[in-house]
Amino acid sequence: MRSIPGIGGIVASGIICELGDLRRFTSIKHLGGYVGLAPGVHQSGDNQKHRGITM
């Protein structure tokens, strides 16, 4: 995790402490949904709009 730019030892430790056991997330999509970072998509019929990351 510390290889991500802007994430140092203290921030990485805090993230891991908050998330707990990462094995409980079946996918990265599940983890993103848990922390509230998910791509915003609005679909209606054949129309689809991507709205970036939501929180």
Side-chain angles (χ1 to χ4, degrees):
M1 188 172 294
R2 289 180 43 192
S3 66
I4 301 169
I7 303 288
I10 294 173
V11 173
S13 296
I15 291 170
I16 298 215
C17 286
E18 287 294 324
L19 291 177
D21 186 8
L22 295 176
R23 292 176 290 188
R24 67 188 173 128
F25 301 107
T26 56
S27 67
I28 192 70
K29 195 173 189 179
H30 186 200
L31 173 63
Y34 176 79
V35 298
L37 299 175
V41 178
H42 178 74
Q43 291 180 307
S44 178
D46 291 333
N47 297 324
Q48 183 176 24
K49 294 183 182 179
H50 297 276
R51 302 186 185 261
I53 293 181
T54 62
M55 290 222 235

Coordinates of all heavy atoms in Angstrom, one line a residue:
M1 N 0.8 -1.2 0.0 CA 0.0 0.0 0.0 C 0.9 1.3 0.0 O 0.5 2.3 -0.6 CB -0.9 0.0 1.2 CG -1.9 1.1 1.2 SD -3.2 1.0 2.5 CE -4.0 -0.5 2.0
R2 N 2.0 1.2 0.6 CA 2.9 2.3 0.7 C 3.5 2.7 -0.7 O 4.1 3.8 -0.9 CB 4.0 2.1 1.7 CG 3.5 2.2 3.1 CD 4.5 1.9 4.1 NE 5.7 2.6 3.9 CZ 6.8 2.4 4.5 NH1 6.9 1.5 5.5 NH2 7.9 3.1 4.2
S3 N 3.4 1.8 -1.7 CA 3.9 2.1 -3.0 C 2.9 3.1 -3.8 O 3.3 3.6 -4.8 CB 4.0 0.8 -3.8 OG 2.8 0.3 -4.1
I4 N 1.8 3.4 -3.2 CA 0.8 4.3 -3.8 C 1.3 5.7 -3.5 O 1.6 6.0 -2.3 CB -0.6 4.1 -3.3 CG1 -1.1 2.7 -3.6 CG2 -1.5 5.2 -3.8 CD1 -2.4 2.3 -2.9
P5 N 1.5 6.6 -4.5 CA 2.0 8.0 -4.2 C 1.0 8.7 -3.2 O -0.2 8.7 -3.3 CB 1.9 8.7 -5.5 CG 2.0 7.6 -6.5 CD 1.3 6.4 -5.9
G6 N 1.7 9.3 -2.1 CA 0.9 10.0 -1.1 C 0.5 9.2 0.1 O 0.0 9.7 1.0
I7 N 0.7 7.9 0.0 CA 0.4 7.0 1.1 C 1.7 6.6 1.8 O 2.5 5.9 1.3 CB -0.3 5.7 0.7 CG1 -1.6 6.0 -0.1 CG2 -0.6 4.8 1.9 CD1 -2.7 6.6 0.7
G8 N 1.9 7.1 3.1 CA 3.0 6.7 3.9 C 2.7 5.6 4.9 O 1.6 5.1 4.9
G9 N 3.6 5.4 5.8 CA 3.4 4.3 6.8 C 2.3 4.6 7.7 O 1.5 3.7 8.0
I10 N 2.1 5.8 8.2 CA 1.1 6.1 9.1 C -0.3 6.0 8.5 O -1.2 5.4 9.0 CB 1.3 7.5 9.7 CG1 2.5 7.5 10.6 CG2 0.1 7.9 10.6 CD1 3.0 8.9 11.1
V11 N -0.5 6.6 7.3 CA -1.7 6.5 6.6 C -2.1 5.1 6.2 O -3.2 4.6 6.4 CB -1.7 7.4 5.3 CG1 -3.0 7.2 4.5 CG2 -1.6 8.9 5.7
A12 N -1.1 4.3 5.7 CA -1.3 2.9 5.4 C -1.8 2.1 6.6 O -2.7 1.3 6.5 CB -0.1 2.3 4.8
S13 N -1.1 2.3 7.7 CA -1.5 1.6 9.0 C -3.0 2.0 9.4 O -3.7 1.1 9.8 CB -0.6 2.0 10.1 OG 0.7 1.6 9.8
G14 N -3.3 3.3 9.3 CA -4.7 3.7 9.6 C -5.7 3.1 8.7 O -6.8 2.6 9.2
I15 N -5.4 3.0 7.4 CA -6.4 2.4 6.5 C -6.6 0.9 6.8 O -7.7 0.4 6.9 CB -5.9 2.5 5.0 CG1 -6.0 4.0 4.6 CG2 -6.7 1.6 4.1 CD1 -5.3 4.3 3.3
I16 N -5.5 0.2 7.1 CA -5.6 -1.2 7.4 C -6.3 -1.5 8.7 O -7.1 -2.4 8.8 CB -4.2 -1.9 7.4 CG1 -3.6 -1.7 6.0 CG2 -4.2 -3.3 7.9 CD1 -2.8 -2.7 5.4
C17 N -6.0 -0.6 9.7 CA -6.8 -0.7 11.0 C -8.3 -0.5 10.8 O -9.1 -1.2 11.4 CB -6.2 0.3 12.0 SG -4.6 -0.2 12.6
E18 N -8.6 0.4 10.0 CA -10.1 0.7 9.8 C -10.8 -0.4 9.0 O -11.9 -0.7 9.3 CB -10.2 2.0 9.0 CG -10.0 3.3 9.9 CD -10.9 3.4 11.0 OE1 -12.1 3.2 10.9 OE2 -10.5 3.9 12.1
L19 N -10.1 -1.0 8.0 CA -10.7 -2.0 7.2 C -10.7 -3.3 7.8 O -11.6 -4.1 7.6 CB -10.0 -2.1 5.8 CG -10.1 -0.9 4.9 CD1 -9.3 -1.1 3.7 CD2 -11.5 -0.7 4.5
G20 N -9.8 -3.6 8.7 CA -9.8 -4.9 9.4 C -9.3 -6.0 8.4 O -8.4 -5.8 7.5
D21 N -9.9 -7.2 8.5 CA -9.5 -8.3 7.7 C -10.0 -8.2 6.3 O -11.2 -8.2 6.0 CB -10.1 -9.6 8.3 CG -9.6 -10.9 7.6 OD1 -8.7 -10.8 6.8 OD2 -10.2 -11.9 7.9
L22 N -9.0 -8.0 5.4 CA -9.3 -7.7 4.0 C -9.9 -9.0 3.3 O -10.5 -8.8 2.2 CB -8.1 -7.2 3.2 CG -7.6 -5.9 3.6 CD1 -6.3 -5.5 2.9 CD2 -8.6 -4.8 3.5
R23 N -9.8 -10.1 3.9 CA -10.3 -11.4 3.2 C -11.8 -11.4 3.2 O -12.4 -12.2 2.5 CB -9.8 -12.6 4.0 CG -8.3 -12.8 3.7 CD -7.8 -13.9 4.5 NE -7.8 -13.6 5.9 CZ -7.3 -14.3 6.9 NH1 -6.8 -15.4 6.7 NH2 -7.4 -13.8 8.2
R24 N -12.5 -10.5 4.0 CA -13.9 -10.5 4.0 C -14.5 -9.9 2.8 O -15.7 -10.0 2.5 CB -14.4 -9.8 5.3 CG -14.1 -8.3 5.4 CD -14.5 -7.8 6.7 NE -14.1 -6.4 6.9 CZ -14.9 -5.4 7.2 NH1 -16.1 -5.7 7.5 NH2 -14.4 -4.2 7.3
F25 N -13.7 -9.2 2.0 CA -14.2 -8.6 0.8 C -13.9 -9.5 -0.4 O -12.8 -9.9 -0.6 CB -13.4 -7.2 0.5 CG -13.6 -6.2 1.6 CD1 -12.6 -5.9 2.5 CD2 -14.9 -5.6 1.8 CE1 -12.8 -5.0 3.5 CE2 -15.1 -4.7 2.8 CZ -14.0 -4.4 3.7
T26 N -14.9 -9.9 -1.1 CA -14.8 -10.9 -2.1 C -14.2 -10.3 -3.4 O -13.6 -11.1 -4.2 CB -16.2 -11.5 -2.5 OG1 -17.1 -10.4 -2.9 CG2 -16.8 -12.2 -1.3
S27 N -14.2 -9.0 -3.6 CA -13.6 -8.4 -4.7 C -13.2 -6.9 -4.4 O -13.6 -6.4 -3.4 CB -14.5 -8.4 -5.9 OG -15.6 -7.6 -5.7
I28 N -12.4 -6.3 -5.3 CA -12.1 -4.9 -5.2 C -13.3 -4.1 -5.3 O -13.4 -3.0 -4.7 CB -10.9 -4.5 -6.2 CG1 -10.4 -3.2 -5.8 CG2 -11.5 -4.5 -7.6 CD1 -9.5 -3.2 -4.6
K29 N -14.3 -4.5 -6.1 CA -15.5 -3.8 -6.2 C -16.3 -3.8 -4.9 O -16.9 -2.8 -4.5 CB -16.4 -4.5 -7.3 CG -17.5 -3.7 -7.8 CD -18.1 -4.5 -9.0 CE -19.1 -3.6 -9.7 NZ -19.7 -4.3 -10.9
H30 N -16.3 -4.9 -4.2 CA -16.9 -5.0 -2.9 C -16.2 -4.0 -1.9 O -16.9 -3.3 -1.1 CB -16.9 -6.4 -2.4 CG -17.6 -6.7 -1.1 ND1 -17.4 -7.8 -0.4 CD2 -18.6 -6.0 -0.5 CE1 -18.2 -7.7 0.7 NE2 -18.9 -6.7 0.6
L31 N -14.9 -4.0 -1.9 CA -14.2 -3.1 -1.0 C -14.5 -1.6 -1.4 O -14.7 -0.8 -0.5 CB -12.7 -3.3 -1.2 CG -11.7 -2.4 -0.5 CD1 -12.0 -2.4 1.0 CD2 -10.3 -2.7 -0.8
G32 N -14.5 -1.3 -2.6 CA -14.9 0.1 -3.1 C -16.2 0.5 -2.6 O -16.5 1.6 -2.2
G33 N -17.2 -0.4 -2.7 CA -18.5 -0.1 -2.2 C -18.6 0.1 -0.7 O -19.3 0.9 -0.2
Y34 N -17.8 -0.7 0.0 CA -17.7 -0.6 1.5 C -17.2 0.8 1.9 O -17.7 1.4 2.8 CB -16.8 -1.7 2.1 CG -16.7 -1.6 3.6 CD1 -17.7 -2.0 4.4 CD2 -15.5 -1.1 4.1 CE1 -17.5 -1.9 5.8 CE2 -15.3 -1.0 5.5 CZ -16.3 -1.4 6.3 OH -16.2 -1.3 7.7
V35 N -16.1 1.2 1.3 CA -15.6 2.5 1.7 C -16.3 3.7 1.0 O -16.0 4.9 1.3 CB -14.0 2.6 1.4 CG1 -13.3 1.6 2.2 CG2 -13.7 2.5 -0.1
G36 N -17.2 3.4 0.1 CA -18.0 4.5 -0.5 C -17.4 5.1 -1.7 O -17.8 6.1 -2.2
L37 N -16.4 4.4 -2.3 CA -15.8 4.9 -3.6 C -16.3 3.9 -4.7 O -15.9 2.8 -4.7 CB -14.3 4.8 -3.5 CG -13.7 5.7 -2.5 CD1 -12.2 5.5 -2.4 CD2 -14.0 7.2 -2.8
A38 N -17.2 4.4 -5.4 CA -17.8 3.6 -6.5 C -18.0 4.5 -7.7 O -18.4 5.6 -7.6 CB -19.1 2.9 -6.0
P39 N -17.9 3.9 -8.9 CA -18.1 4.8 -10.1 C -19.6 5.1 -10.2 O -20.5 4.2 -10.0 CB -17.7 3.9 -11.3 CG -17.7 2.5 -10.7 CD -17.4 2.6 -9.3
G40 N -19.9 6.4 -10.4 CA -21.3 6.8 -10.6 C -21.7 6.6 -12.0 O -21.1 7.1 -13.0
V41 N -22.8 5.8 -12.2 CA -23.3 5.5 -13.5 C -24.8 5.7 -13.5 O -25.5 5.3 -12.6 CB -23.0 4.0 -14.0 CG1 -23.6 3.7 -15.3 CG2 -21.5 3.8 -14.0
H42 N -25.3 6.4 -14.5 CA -26.8 6.6 -14.6 C -27.2 6.0 -15.9 O -26.7 6.4 -17.0 CB -27.1 8.1 -14.6 CG -28.6 8.4 -14.8 ND1 -29.5 8.1 -13.8 CD2 -29.3 8.8 -15.9 CE1 -30.7 8.4 -14.3 NE2 -30.6 8.8 -15.5
Q43 N -28.1 5.0 -15.9 CA -28.5 4.3 -17.1 C -30.0 4.4 -17.2 O -30.8 4.3 -16.2 CB -28.2 2.8 -17.0 CG -26.7 2.5 -17.1 CD -26.4 1.0 -17.0 OE1 -26.9 0.4 -16.0 NE2 -25.7 0.5 -17.9
S44 N -30.5 4.6 -18.4 CA -31.9 4.7 -18.8 C -32.0 4.2 -20.2 O -31.6 4.9 -21.1 CB -32.4 6.1 -18.6 OG -33.8 6.1 -18.9
G45 N -32.6 3.1 -20.4 CA -32.7 2.5 -21.8 C -31.3 2.3 -22.4 O -30.5 1.7 -21.9
D46 N -31.1 2.9 -23.6 CA -29.8 2.8 -24.2 C -28.8 3.9 -23.8 O -27.7 3.9 -24.2 CB -30.0 2.9 -25.8 CG -30.7 1.7 -26.3 OD1 -30.6 0.6 -25.7 OD2 -31.4 1.8 -27.4
N47 N -29.3 4.9 -23.0 CA -28.4 6.0 -22.6 C -27.6 5.6 -21.3 O -28.2 5.0 -20.4 CB -29.2 7.2 -22.3 CG -29.9 7.7 -23.5 OD1 -29.4 7.7 -24.6 ND2 -31.1 8.2 -23.4
Q48 N -26.4 6.0 -21.3 CA -25.5 5.7 -20.1 C -24.6 6.8 -19.9 O -23.9 7.3 -20.8 CB -24.8 4.4 -20.4 CG -23.9 4.0 -19.2 CD -23.2 2.6 -19.5 OE1 -23.0 2.2 -20.6 NE2 -22.9 1.9 -18.4
K49 N -24.6 7.4 -18.7 CA -23.7 8.5 -18.3 C -22.8 8.1 -17.2 O -23.3 7.6 -16.1 CB -24.5 9.7 -18.0 CG -25.2 10.3 -19.1 CD -26.0 11.6 -18.7 CE -26.7 12.1 -19.9 NZ -27.5 13.3 -19.6
H50 N -21.5 8.3 -17.3 CA -20.5 8.0 -16.2 C -20.3 9.3 -15.5 O -20.0 10.3 -16.1 CB -19.3 7.4 -16.8 CG -19.5 6.1 -17.5 ND1 -19.5 4.9 -16.8 CD2 -19.7 5.8 -18.8 CE1 -19.7 4.0 -17.6 NE2 -19.8 4.5 -18.9
R51 N -20.4 9.3 -14.2 CA -20.2 10.5 -13.4 C -19.0 10.5 -12.5 O -18.9 11.3 -11.6 CB -21.5 10.7 -12.5 CG -22.7 10.7 -13.4 CD -23.9 11.0 -12.5 NE -25.1 11.0 -13.3 CZ -25.7 12.1 -13.8 NH1 -25.3 13.2 -13.5 NH2 -26.9 11.9 -14.4
G52 N -18.0 9.7 -12.7 CA -16.8 9.7 -11.9 C -17.0 8.9 -10.6 O -18.0 8.2 -10.4
I53 N -16.2 9.1 -9.6 CA -16.2 8.4 -8.4 C -17.2 9.1 -7.4 O -17.1 10.4 -7.3 CB -14.8 8.3 -7.7 CG1 -14.0 7.4 -8.6 CG2 -14.9 7.8 -6.3 CD1 -12.6 7.2 -8.1
T54 N -18.0 8.4 -6.8 CA -19.0 8.9 -5.8 C -18.5 8.6 -4.4 O -17.7 7.8 -4.2 CB -20.4 8.3 -6.0 OG1 -20.3 6.9 -5.8 CG2 -20.9 8.5 -7.4
M55 N -19.0 9.4 -3.5 CA -18.7 9.1 -2.1 C -19.9 9.1 -1.3 O -20.9 9.5 -1.5 CB -17.8 10.2 -1.5 CG -16.4 10.2 -2.1 SD -15.3 10.5 -0.9 CE -14.4 11.8 -1.5

